[in-house]
Amino acid sequence: MGNLLGIDNLASPDYLERGYLRQLQLQRLQRIIRHTYDHVELFRNRMKERGLTPEDVKTLEDLGKLPFMKKVDLRDNYPFGLFAVPLSQIVRLHASSGTTGKPIVVAYTKEDIDVWIGAVRRALNCCGLSSEDVIQIAYGYGLFTGGLGAHYGAEALGATVVPASGGNTKRQVMLMRDFGVTAVCCTPSYFIHMIEVAEAEGLPLPDQKVRTGIFGAEPWSEEMRRYIEEKAGIEAFDIYGLSEIIGPGVAVECHEHNGLHIFEDRFYPEVIDPDTGEVLPDGETGELVLTTLSKFAMPMIRYRTRDITKIISEPCPCGRTLRRIGRISSRSDDMFIIRGVNVFPSQIESALLQVVDSPNYNIILYTENRVDNIEIDVEINAGSFSDQVCEMEQLRRKIASAVESVIGLRVLVKLVGPQQIQRSEGKAKRVFDKREK
């Protein structure tokens, strides 16, 4: 597609002057909108419904006039209806699991793959990794974007890559020790399982060389970060991405751990009011909307992610000029409503970890006497278990009180013994909705 402003091949555009970056963003935005308008019927029809053409986008602010794209659009146009190039130019397809309906299919040209690799390489570098590191990829490979996305980015960094994929956790721990692994990429819930298995195998992670964890693909709280860092003796980084946009590598934390730098030269961010669709100013919390500026096989224009965050425009001490997004600990579609109260699973997790040293729990929604309720099953470590009924009851009440203080609702707390909560080797399932429909 040709270079813009002559910088497409820079080693790292993380430090561009803001005015120059905005000029680059606008040129890329105008180009991708014209490409999408010309080649994606759904987008073209929606633009026409609004009386818009690509020429109406004269500034970055004009993006707010354009129609949104949503996950349902990908399902309704399954499998290839949103492709903007011929299949002969597609070099790779990825897809979601499709557990809630038709899978989400995403496509890449060779140039798109190069953009993705570059984004992940920048992300790993942002976390302090280099060619001196041995990086174990414990995301699943295959149709899920996590494994291959992290893999090729790590190779581009020049690191030694251990493509372990997910599962077979005892072997994962053995490889970490034997190969001198210094960094691990996986979901935070799976890394917690790794910590437990490593301890059981007599190979505790603090005694190994691993010093960095890069975790994503599911929301996780600051309390969860502190638990992981204390138990494993590592520095934990949050990485963000989604298949619809490109995969992992859309945004990542630096060592400041104060929001995630979004690679906005490739992925333009907006935050909107999820109810009205109004674009909110930087600093206000709402739903993240992303536009791919450099993805031509299947461009996403104003894609509603359902992730709740804010844009942080204040300069970061690390020196990067890229804006940041606040840590994403909740999604609007993860929220459940109990007796008129909006509740996010991340709120419950934060409250739990303030009381107990256990990140393993289930949230069960149920109906009793036509009233919806919340039950929380919390796994208690062997060291915390007591045969004194009064001590366990006191702990149960303390957990219930902590959760109630956060969400404003009384909950039923049940304590269960070690290994009673099923472990995850990918994305953790925490919420089980058994309410009467």
Side-chain angles (χ1 to χ4, degrees):
M1 295 294 176
N3 287 355
L4 297 179
L5 300 178
I7 69 162
D8 275 15
N9 296 319
L10 276 183
S12 177
D14 296 0
Y15 303 91
L16 288 178
E17 189 271 326
R18 287 296 306 177
Y20 195 82
L21 175 59
R22 285 179 61 83
Q23 184 184 356
L24 177 66
Q25 288 172 322
L26 179 59
Q27 289 189 18
R28 285 179 172 166
L29 176 64
Q30 290 172 329
R31 181 176 62 166
I32 201 69
I33 288 173
R34 165 52 69 185
H35 175 74
T36 311
Y37 186 90
D38 289 345
H39 298 288
V40 180
E41 183 180 7
L42 175 72
F43 180 72
R44 183 169 57 251
N45 290 342
R46 288 180 177 176
M47 289 282 282
K48 289 180 176 179
E49 288 172 1
R50 296 189 175 208
L52 295 172
T53 68
E55 287 69 33
D56 291 314
V57 180
K58 296 180 172 63
T59 68
L60 290 173
E61 288 68 32
D62 289 335
L63 181 60
K65 303 175 184 177
L66 274 55
F68 294 113
M69 299 184 78
K70 302 179 182 179
K71 182 171 286 190
V72 66
D73 295 329
L74 282 83
R75 291 202 173 108
D76 289 348
N77 290 276
Y78 171 90
F80 301 154
L82 295 182
F83 287 10
V85 299
L87 195 60
S88 60
Q89 295 181 26
I90 302 294
V91 300
R92 193 189 303 170
L93 297 173
H94 280 282
S96 68
S97 61
T99 55
T100 57
K102 288 183 178 179
I104 299 301
V105 176
V106 292
Y108 305 79
T109 65
K110 175 62 170 65
E111 292 75 16
D112 295 341
I113 292 289
D114 290 341
V115 167
W116 187 15
I117 290 171
V120 177
R121 176 185 55 77
R122 289 163 66 183
L124 298 177
N125 182 259
C126 198
C127 300
L129 301 185
S130 72
S131 60
E132 300 299 316
D133 283 288
V134 180
I135 304 177
Q136 186 159 323
I137 311 298
Y139 287 118
Y141 281 62
L143 289 176
F144 174 58
T145 57
L148 287 171
H151 180 115
Y152 284 113
E155 283 190 345
L157 188 68
T160 302
V161 179
V162 181
S165 192
N168 204 343
T169 310
K170 289 184 179 181
R171 184 167 179 266
Q172 297 257 11
V173 171
M174 180 192 72
L175 294 178
M176 290 171 65
R177 178 199 63 185
D178 294 348
F179 292 174
V181 168
T182 59
V184 177
C185 298
C186 63
T187 63
S189 56
Y190 184 49
F191 191 74
I192 288 170
H193 185 40
M194 283 183 169
I195 293 172
E196 295 173 336
V197 172
E199 290 178 349
E201 293 294 300
L203 300 171
L205 296 189
D207 295 343
Q208 298 193 37
K209 290 185 177 181
V210 61
R211 58 179 174 80
T212 302
I214 301 174
F215 306 123
E218 62 188 19
W220 54 302
S221 64
E222 280 296 323
E223 289 76 14
M224 185 73 80
R225 185 212 299 277
R226 285 193 287 270
Y227 176 89
I228 287 173
E229 291 186 332
E230 179 182 338
K231 291 290 185 180
I234 67 169
E235 184 175 6
F237 292 85
D238 193 5
I239 189 170
Y240 174 75
L242 58 167
S243 297
E244 300 94 311
I245 297 301
I246 205 162
V250 174
V252 73
E253 289 181 319
C254 66
H255 288 289
E256 297 294 327
H257 299 291
N258 184 23
L260 292 80
H261 289 281
I262 187 162
F263 298 121
E264 54 178 318
D265 57 306
R266 299 296 188 184
F267 317 104
Y268 190 81
E270 302 171 274
V271 168
I272 64 168
D273 182 313
D275 296 322
T276 67
E278 175 190 2
V279 178
L280 301 176
D282 290 358
E284 291 196 19
T285 298
E287 179 186 342
L288 180 64
V289 172
L290 291 171
T291 295
T292 55
L293 299 179
S294 306
K295 189 164 185 281
F296 287 87
M298 190 174 161
M300 289 285 109
I301 308 297
R302 305 200 77 202
Y303 183 76
R304 294 188 62 163
T305 67
R306 297 296 181 185
D307 292 319
I308 305 301
T309 187
K310 63 181 178 180
I311 294 176
I312 305 169
S313 56
E314 291 78 15
C316 181
C318 79
R320 288 175 175 81
T321 54
L322 302 167
R323 289 178 295 172
R324 288 161 286 157
I325 53 175
R327 184 182 184 86
I328 294 171
S329 58
S330 61
R331 292 174 50 86
S332 60
D333 52 1
D334 281 346
M335 182 187 76
F336 51 86
I337 302 175
I338 298 291
R339 302 196 293 278
V341 177
N342 296 341
V343 180
F344 290 97
S346 58
Q347 294 175 299
I348 294 176
E349 177 178 287
S350 295
L352 286 176
L353 289 176
Q354 290 173 10
V355 178
V356 294
D357 184 23
S358 173
N360 299 305
Y361 63 92
N362 285 334
I363 300 169
I364 301 167
L365 311 180
Y366 68 99
T367 303
E368 185 175 67
N369 296 326
R370 290 182 292 183
V371 176
D372 290 343
N373 296 280
I374 303 174
E375 173 187 321
I376 307 172
D377 295 348
V378 184
E379 183 178 296
I380 302 301
N381 296 330
S384 302
F385 233 74
S386 170
D387 57 4
Q388 298 295 318
V389 175
C390 61
E391 290 184 13
M392 289 292 94
E393 178 61 19
Q394 185 178 15
L395 178 60
R396 191 193 65 78
R397 289 180 178 178
K398 189 174 182 181
I399 294 170
S401 177
V403 173
E404 182 179 352
S405 69
V406 171
I407 68 174
L409 292 170
R410 289 188 177 182
V411 299
L412 172 64
V413 174
K414 292 184 178 180
L415 305 182
V416 302
Q419 302 300 315
Q420 295 302 300
I421 300 294
Q422 184 175 353
R423 301 308 193 251
S424 168
E425 295 183 348
K427 295 185 180 183
K429 179 173 176 58
R430 303 285 194 192
V431 180
F432 299 85
D433 194 343
K434 299 182 179 180
R435 289 176 291 183
E436 296 175 2
K437 303 300 182 183

